[in-house]
Amino acid sequence: MEPTLNYRPRRTMLYVPTHVERYLEKARGLAADSIVFDLQESVPPQHKQTARDVLLKAFAESSAFESSERIVRINPLHTKWGEQDLDAIKNMDIDAILLPRIESAESLLKYIEQVDAARSDKLNIMINIESPLGVLHAEEICAVSDRVSCVVMGVTDLSNELKITQTNDRAGLLTSLSLVVLASRAHKKCVIDGPHFDLKNVQACEFSCRQARDLGFDGKAVVHPIQLDYTNDAFTPKLDDINRAKAIITAIKQANEEGRNVAVIEDRLIEPSLREWAERVLTLYDTVKELGQNELIGTSR
């Protein structure tokens, strides 16, 4: 089995409104795996041009945002705002562009063409799925292109259109969340859960993080820096995971050397497919160590 060496941790994806300069400055020192510089939903209509100007200034002064992945979410490309956003960032040194409210494979293909026409590179594409139609079409959307590296849930619009009341257990969203995880994994995409908006209810946010992890998400969107510590922690491997991962890799390697394709650890059969999980855990662990976040790694979940 090929090692998962290209796995990029996205435990936390912090949305930063770009029309407020101090928010961008603060983001430079935050422990977010990814930063979404938002030109869309968090920016009022009257501040759209200000947001572009502030973002361009921030990147011109310094492109450093620690080790965070740099993503720009633009307005929908079928709008004038979206076209202006794309023109503004056509030469910006970023890692990915996030396209909002994708609902069909056809529209996504068209938007990718627009991005490629504006930029000379083949920029990573990320997408928001935030509507019932987007959820129902998630599989065909994820199948469109290898350029799509990550799917990010938008839970507020989705909840509104499903006409559900959001509860701490998110019962009304579980089917939609699971369908998008399934579609994303079927096509080898990273998948990120939507944010938790009740900033004062730490217990509810922590539950939401761990629920997302257990549903199969790689990480969670974050709307305030106060959420970073416990969101990072929820998606960081614990020592039990790390020790098990190391044991799996060692056991499978030894089994292969002895002419066997499966291994046994403590009377439990270990199939080759578990090596991918183990390598992913260790890659994430090594990245956390490099970031100096060893203190986040506890004993167990």
Side-chain angles (χ1 to χ4, degrees):
M1 180 180 296
E2 292 296 318
T4 54
L5 298 179
N6 292 325
Y7 175 74
R8 178 163 195 164
R10 295 187 177 102
R11 299 167 300 165
T12 45
M13 187 171 281
L14 175 67
Y15 282 99
V16 178
T18 51
H19 63 297
V20 183
E21 191 168 354
R22 70 177 185 276
Y23 292 165
L24 274 74
E25 289 308 308
K26 185 174 183 179
R28 294 186 191 277
L30 296 175
D33 287 344
S34 304
I35 298 176
V36 177
F37 302 98
D38 191 20
L39 294 169
Q40 191 225 359
E41 200 160 29
S42 64
V43 179
Q46 66 271 27
H47 294 302
K48 294 294 185 183
Q49 186 56 49
T50 298
R52 298 182 197 107
D53 294 341
V54 170
L55 182 60
L56 288 169
K57 179 184 176 184
F59 271 73
E61 291 175 350
S62 172
S63 61
F65 282 88
E66 298 298 329
S67 58
S68 300
E69 181 180 33
R70 296 163 299 171
I71 306 159
V72 175
R73 179 166 72 169
I74 64 173
N75 287 275
L77 275 172
H78 63 269
T79 68
K80 185 177 181 179
W81 286 339
E83 293 174 354
Q84 292 170 341
D85 292 343
L86 188 56
D87 183 63
I89 68 167
K90 63 184 179 183
N91 296 316
M92 187 176 290
D93 182 19
I94 56 176
D95 297 300
I97 188 169
L98 176 58
L99 302 176
R101 199 177 178 86
I102 299 300
E103 295 187 311
S104 72
E106 292 77 15
S107 62
L108 177 55
L109 279 172
K110 180 181 177 181
Y111 296 152
I112 293 175
E113 290 175 0
Q114 288 179 256
V115 173
D116 288 348
R119 295 182 60 103
S120 58
D121 57 354
K122 292 292 184 181
L123 191 63
N124 277 340
I125 305 294
M126 298 184 178
I127 61 171
N128 279 141
I129 289 185
E130 48 191 323
S131 70
L133 198 58
V135 171
L136 290 174
H137 290 166
E139 194 278 329
E140 62 191 63
I141 290 170
C142 289
V144 157
S145 172
D146 291 339
R147 292 278 300 287
V148 178
S149 60
C150 185
V151 178
V152 186
M153 292 296 302
V155 293
T156 301
D157 286 356
L158 179 59
S159 296
N160 289 341
E161 293 180 37
L162 288 173
K163 303 190 186 314
I164 62 172
T165 299
Q166 290 200 49
T167 57
N168 286 343
D169 64 4
R170 301 199 295 174
L173 284 173
L174 291 180
T175 296
S176 297
L177 295 174
S178 294
L179 284 172
V180 174
V181 169
L182 186 63
S184 300
R185 296 310 188 201
H187 295 283
K188 310 299 183 185
K189 312 297 184 190
C190 176
V191 59
I192 305 298
D193 189 20
H196 183 86
F197 289 97
D198 188 352
L199 301 181
K200 292 185 178 181
N201 193 336
V202 174
Q203 289 76 20
C205 188
E206 288 180 333
F207 173 82
S208 181
C209 292
R210 284 160 175 74
Q211 181 192 56
R213 178 198 66 202
D214 294 342
L215 285 171
F217 287 96
D218 291 282
K220 192 168 178 66
V222 172
V223 292
H224 193 284
I226 198 173
Q227 300 173 324
L228 284 171
D229 280 353
Y230 46 83
T231 306
N232 274 328
D233 179 69
F235 290 95
T236 298
K238 307 309 177 200
L239 290 177
D240 288 348
D241 296 323
I242 296 161
N243 292 335
R244 182 167 181 253
K246 290 178 178 178
I248 286 172
I249 290 175
T250 299
I252 290 177
K253 180 180 178 181
Q254 182 177 346
N256 290 164
E257 290 173 352
E258 295 172 355
R260 294 180 287 110
N261 203 36
V262 296
V264 176
I265 299 178
E266 296 179 353
D267 298 325
R268 186 165 186 167
L269 198 65
I270 304 298
E271 296 185 342
S273 60
L274 278 175
R275 179 178 167 182
E276 182 177 351
W277 171 87
E279 289 180 339
R280 178 178 175 273
V281 165
L282 295 178
T283 298
L284 182 49
Y285 170 62
D286 289 341
T287 302
V288 170
K289 283 202 303 182
E290 290 174 7
L291 293 173
Q293 296 177 13
N294 306 60
E295 69 274 11
L296 294 179
I297 302 174
T299 303
S300 62
R301 296 180 182 278

